[in-house]
Each structure stands twice: as structure tokens, then as C-alpha cells.
Amino acid sequence: TRVFQAREGAAPPAPQGSCDRLLRQTESLNCAIRGDTMLPVIAECPIQKIIKRNGSVVDYDRGRIANAILKATASAGAANPKLAETMAVNVEASLVTTYGSGAMPSVEDIQDVVESVLIENRLSRIAKNYIIYRHQHAMARTAKAYEFEVTDNVPYRKLYEVLRWNMEHRCDSVESLNRIIVRGRFPQLVKECDQRYGEEVNLASARILRDAKSIRIVIIAGPSSSGKTTTTIKMGERLRKAGVGLKAINIDHYFFDLDRHPMDEFGDHDYETPAALDLELINDHLEQLLAGKTVKTPHYDFKTGRRRLNVHELALAGNEILLIDSLHGLFDAMTRSIPPERKFKLYIETLGQFRAADGTFMRWSDNRLLRRMNRDQDHLNLKPLETLTHWHYVRKSELTHIIPFIKRADCIVNSALPYELPVFKHRLFKCFAKAAHRYKDDPRRLDAHIRANRIYSLLRPLRMVRDESCIPPDSLLREFIGGSGYQY
């Protein structure tokens, strides 16, 4: 449309010489769409150079675009060179219209346009396969030992891996998950998801074992209900099996007395900020432990909101590693007294790439909210709506004190399990219907109302699973629904 407007004088004039080339490209594309046997020869493209991921500038080559699309058509059932070339021409025209004649788009820009063009032409299966192809190559490029990249506090390359896995196992959307349940494949999905998570824990453990001579502290960090405790236990199992001694320190015992925590107008205390922890005492104890001394850690009683000092005796032998499971493990002040080379920092998050019925991706924090609502109800005797209305504290702390430090992690583990959503649909769906109604006219609870509506809309078309017997006792999900073989 933009090219046609340019030809008719309805759009601002393009740089001299570019319109004629664009018209020839459009005519070539029209020829291909009509089904002509041969595509006309296209004049030289006004895009001459592109920017690679490493910042270098190289010659533009439409053949590489066509080749990638061709592979996507082959994955969809049958290789179609003519269609691939047609779409490559279309991509080329879109690049010129979007970035202008003589521009130097990046590889990522080009790939984004390819996906857009395929979707606009209703080639959804080919678009899906192209996305997989793109992500596979992204993972291959980052296959160097254990490296990952975080941009804008988002580990995009890790997300490529998660999305690819979900698509390959056909559990990336409400529709596909419903299909698995209807076909009786839910137990198999449970097995596959748990295996994937276990493999990531194994990889992290291998990293630690590789550098066991220098590492004295392993930190398992991540936002609320991401699965830190189970991951800590499983990693401990693997390290002990390899002959590495372990000791765990419970950071929750370092909370200040509750009367020192800020309280809101509803009488709700904020446990989520690192300021609620005695960071000075934590650092002092860590220094002493690594120096071979014995310390006595505090004991915090969540029922009374009070702590007692010098209760739990703890010592670290020369061949032992200290395990820390904490929301704020990546927060500098938590372990500032320990040199970086003595620490291994693992970040865990529900990096789920799961699409709702409207095509939007489920928010990671919503996944964790489901977990925490159920766990709080079972273990802390908190009503689900109490957890929902407290969640704004959780998110505020995550965005301020946890997520900005993802780049400091040595390893990232995805704890999202697509099979958990039908389980939580059975357990919590009615709570969200109630919350959406209760808080709709309460401006003080706008956050809870918006969140409840969003999760309600996600879960409503999803089939529920009542029979949880196929979920093994060593599953991470058991940390949140009960029945675990581990002691928490």
C-alpha cells in the first residue's frame, strides 16, 4: 500500500532513484502472487549493507532470507522455492519502506520483518517454523559454554530456548495444552517437563563442580515462588553425589522483628524488601563461616513476628560449600563481604512462554502468584485473596531489588512447568472470579482487580486437571501443591 501511495503521489517522495526500484520490486511481487512461472529479474536492491550481531557491516544478500524461509516451508511439509523467493522479495520491499533507501538494518530487524511478512500473508505454519528456525540458530550461536545474555533485564536468548521447547512439545498455548489433556497425554507432559527442569539443574551443578576448588558459596536467587527451595535441594543432591559437602543457611531467620517492618493502611507488613533483613549480621556470619569459625544464627518465628539471636549453630568445613536460598541473593549488600570468585550465583524464574487464548503471553509473575496463593493457603493459613492483595509488595520488591540484578547471575534456570496451569485452574479458578467481582469498584484494590481479571481470562478456556497422581513427589510443583517427598 505504501509503495502504491508513493507511485500515486499520496506519500512523501522517497530518495531519488528508490521509487523506480521499489516499483520494479512490487511488480515482481505481483507477478509472483498471480502465479507466474518465473519471477522477473529485480533491479539492484537499495539496501546494500546490513549490520551483523557483532556490530560488523556486511553485504546484503536476499538469498539468505529466501533460504531461511525455504527451510521453514520444508518444515511445514514441502519445500517451496517459489514461495520462499516471493516472500523474500516482499520482505525486501518492506525493509525499504520501513527503513528507507540506503539504510543498514540489523540482522534482528530483518528477521522481525520476515516474521511480520509471513504472518501478514497468512502463512501461519511457515511463520511458526521460521520462528523455531530463528530460535534454533540463536541457541546455536550462544552454544559457547554456559553463556547467556541479558538485555533490559530480560534473558532473551533463554526465552528462545523456552519457546522452542514448548513449541516442540506442543504445550505453548491454551489450545495446545487442552489438546494434550483431551488426548490423555497429560502424564507424559508432566514427565517431559520435570525432565527438562532436571536437566537445567544438572547443568548448573556441573558448572559448580567444575570450579569447586574456588567456589565456597552457592546462591540460589529469584523472585517469590520461583522454586528456589526445591532447586536448592535438588542441586544439593547432585553435589553430594559428586562428593562435595554442603551446608545450608536459612536467610529467613535473619528478618528483623515485625514491628520494624513498614505497614500499610490495611495493616499489611512488607517482608519483600531486603531492608527487612539484617544484612550486616548476614555478612558478618558469612565471613566467619568462610574463615572456619562456628556461628549461631538467629531463629525467626513468623507467627509472632519476633526473632531470637544465637540459636542455630552452624560451621563450614574446609571442603564444604555453603548454600543460600534467598529472594535477594543477587542483591550486592546481601553478600558484599565475600569476593566474587568465591560465589556462584544461580537465578531461577518462571520463564514460561505460554500463550493465552487471545495470543498474549502469560506473565511470569502471574504464574508465580498462582503458586504462592496455593502454598500460602495450605501452609500459612492465608486466604488466596490475602495473597493476591499483598502481591503488589512482591512485585515492587522484585522490580527494585531482584530483576535489575539478573545480569550478575552465572546461570539461569527456567522453573515454569506448563502442566501446572490446569492443576491451578482446578484449585484456584473460583478465587479469581470472586476477586474480579469484589475489587472492581474499589480504587484501593485496582492492582488486585486488574491481576485477577487477567488470570481469570487466561484460565477460563483452559481445561482443569483434578487427578494429580501423575505428579511425582520429587516434582518442583509439589513445593506449592503439597505431597512432596522433600522436607521444606
Side-chain angles (χ1 to χ4, degrees), residues 431-460:
C431 297
F432 289 101
K434 182 188 297 185
H437 175 73
R438 176 179 295 185
Y439 301 130
K440 67 177 181 178
D441 297 320
D442 187 348
R444 301 177 304 169
R445 296 299 194 190
L446 179 61
D447 175 84
H449 174 64
I450 293 172
R451 205 176 301 277
N453 267 335
R454 185 172 61 239
I455 299 178
Y456 175 82
S457 298
L458 171 80
L459 296 180
R460 186 168 52 83

Side-chain angles (χ1 to χ4, degrees), residues 27-40 82-83 86:
E27 290 165 359
S28 173
L29 177 60
N30 289 338
C31 177
I33 292 173
R34 288 194 302 268
D36 295 355
T37 304
M38 296 292 290
L39 285 171
K82 181 179 177 181
L83 179 61
T86 299

Side-chain angles (χ1 to χ4, degrees), residues 170-387:
R170 299 182 180 180
C171 57
D172 59 308
S173 67
V174 168
E175 181 183 5
S176 60
L177 195 50
N178 281 344
R179 193 177 300 118
I180 286 175
I181 296 170
V182 169
R183 294 177 179 176
R185 293 193 61 253
F186 185 76
Q188 179 63 26
L189 179 64
V190 171
K191 183 178 179 180
E192 292 169 351
C193 290
D194 285 350
Q195 182 179 356
R196 179 209 55 78
Y197 160 72
E199 289 171 353
E200 293 197 30
V201 175
N202 287 340
L203 179 61
S205 302
R207 289 277 319 274
I208 296 169
L209 292 172
R210 186 192 66 181
D211 299 324
K213 291 183 179 180
S214 60
I215 294 173
R216 295 301 312 280
I217 294 179
V218 171
I219 299 167
I220 314 293
S224 176
S225 302
S226 55
K228 295 182 297 297
T229 304
T230 299
T231 302
T232 300
I233 293 173
K234 287 183 176 292
M235 186 170 288
E237 290 176 339
R238 287 152 176 76
L239 296 180
R240 289 189 187 93
K241 190 175 181 180
V244 176
L246 298 168
K247 285 284 177 62
I249 184 170
N250 190 339
I251 297 298
D252 284 351
H253 286 318
Y254 288 84
F255 276 119
F256 287 118
D257 288 347
L258 193 60
D259 56 16
R260 293 187 57 176
H261 296 193
M263 184 173 64
D264 67 11
E265 61 183 301
F266 303 103
D268 194 6
H269 290 87
D270 185 3
Y271 277 100
E272 312 301 332
T273 170
L277 291 164
D278 192 338
L279 299 177
E280 292 297 328
L281 185 59
I282 291 173
N283 275 273
D284 177 58
H285 281 181
L286 293 180
E287 281 189 298
Q288 292 189 54
L289 287 168
L290 264 61
K293 299 179 181 179
T294 299
V295 302
K296 287 190 176 180
T297 68
H299 179 85
Y300 189 84
D301 188 333
F302 280 90
K303 292 182 179 179
T304 63
R306 310 288 294 181
R307 72 166 177 172
R308 290 181 293 126
L309 298 174
N310 304 318
V311 178
H312 304 288
E313 192 171 283
L314 181 65
L316 196 64
N319 64 341
E320 288 183 323
I321 290 177
L322 186 68
L323 285 174
I324 298 178
D325 159 14
S326 173
L327 282 173
H328 304 295
L330 301 183
F331 189 61
D332 274 345
M334 170 75 76
T335 60
R336 63 173 175 267
S337 62
I338 308 302
E341 66 272 12
R342 310 292 276 171
K343 297 179 286 191
F344 179 87
K345 293 173 286 188
L346 180 147
Y347 181 79
I348 182 167
E349 169 65 286
T350 50
L351 300 172
Q353 296 294 281
F354 183 83
R355 288 178 290 112
D358 63 0
T360 59
F361 282 98
M362 180 184 189
R363 300 195 184 190
W364 307 335
S365 59
D366 289 348
N367 193 160
R368 292 186 283 100
L369 173 58
L370 288 166
R371 291 177 173 183
R372 180 152 165 175
M373 287 175 70
N374 197 83
R375 184 178 63 185
D376 285 358
Q377 178 178 238
D378 291 348
H379 299 290
L380 299 180
N381 199 30
L382 286 175
K383 295 179 180 179
L385 294 192
E386 291 181 280
T387 302

Side-chain angles (χ1 to χ4, degrees), residues 136-184:
Q136 285 174 337
H137 277 251
M139 293 308 299
R141 287 191 302 271
T142 57
K144 297 178 182 179
Y146 316 115
E147 289 185 355
F148 65 90
E149 178 181 325
V150 175
T151 305
D152 299 327
N153 297 327
V154 178
Y156 287 107
R157 294 179 180 177
K158 183 70 177 180
L159 298 187
Y160 293 159
E161 177 186 344
V162 176
L163 179 60
R164 183 188 67 184
W165 192 94
N166 284 2
M167 294 177 74
E168 287 176 351
H169 291 78
R170 299 182 180 180
C171 57
D172 59 308
S173 67
V174 168
E175 181 183 5
S176 60
L177 195 50
N178 281 344
R179 193 177 300 118
I180 286 175
I181 296 170
V182 169
R183 294 177 179 176

Side-chain angles (χ1 to χ4, degrees), residues 25-96:
Q25 288 177 280
T26 305
E27 290 165 359
S28 173
L29 177 60
N30 289 338
C31 177
I33 292 173
R34 288 194 302 268
D36 295 355
T37 304
M38 296 292 290
L39 285 171
V41 176
I42 298 174
E44 182 182 17
C45 177
I47 294 178
Q48 299 293 315
K49 302 287 185 180
I50 67 169
I51 303 172
K52 295 181 67 177
R53 292 174 182 83
N54 61 8
S56 62
V57 176
V58 298
D59 291 337
Y60 168 76
D61 181 3
R62 188 193 338 130
R64 296 179 67 87
I65 299 175
N67 186 53
I69 299 174
L70 179 62
K71 291 182 179 179
T73 65
S75 298
N80 191 330
K82 181 179 177 181
L83 179 61
E85 180 68 18
T86 299
M87 290 299 104
V89 172
N90 201 351
V91 168
E92 202 167 86
S94 294
L95 286 169
V96 175

